[in-house]
Amino acid sequence: MAATLHGGTSAGIASLMVGIGVLARLVIVPAIGITIAILLGCRDLELILLMAMYAMAQQMDGNAEPAGQIVVFTTALSLLSLFLWISLLMALGYF
């Protein structure tokens, strides 16, 4: 029998939810947002400011344990993902 967390969610499902949340926050949602911003004509400093505001706004939602884990992982991994996003945009000539 699988171990359950608070609320009856199994540990495997909880880990999967955290993984999907981290992927969505670091890759999927920024890719969509950056694409829309570029199509609207944002460049250079505007893109950097949008990315910073996005990160701050995401800290305002919450759902107990998984949200805490997602914040910890995305904060740690954001150093790498932010570097990669900026490098990609520089290579494409948007900075």
Side-chain angles (χ1 to χ4, degrees):
M1 178 177 232
T4 59
L5 301 175
H6 181 21
T9 306
S10 73
I13 293 173
S15 295
L16 178 63
M17 290 178 1
V18 169
I20 291 170
V22 169
L23 178 67
R25 289 183 71 166
L26 291 177
V27 178
I28 298 168
V29 174
I32 293 168
I34 289 171
T35 301
I36 292 170
I38 289 171
L39 292 174
L40 292 174
C42 294
R43 300 288 188 273
D44 300 322
L45 183 60
E46 294 167 337
L47 279 174
I48 293 171
L49 292 175
L50 281 173
M51 290 171 25
M53 288 189 314
Y54 167 78
M56 289 174 18
Q58 282 209 329
Q59 299 301 318
M60 299 184 79
D61 69 344
N63 189 2
E65 279 186 48
Q69 292 175 349
I70 290 170
V71 168
V72 168
F73 287 119
T74 55
T75 299
L77 295 173
S78 68
L79 295 171
L80 176 63
S81 69
L82 198 58
F83 170 76
L84 293 173
W85 280 114
I86 291 172
S87 296
L88 175 66
L89 292 171
M90 287 178 72
L92 295 174
Y94 291 109
F95 284 142

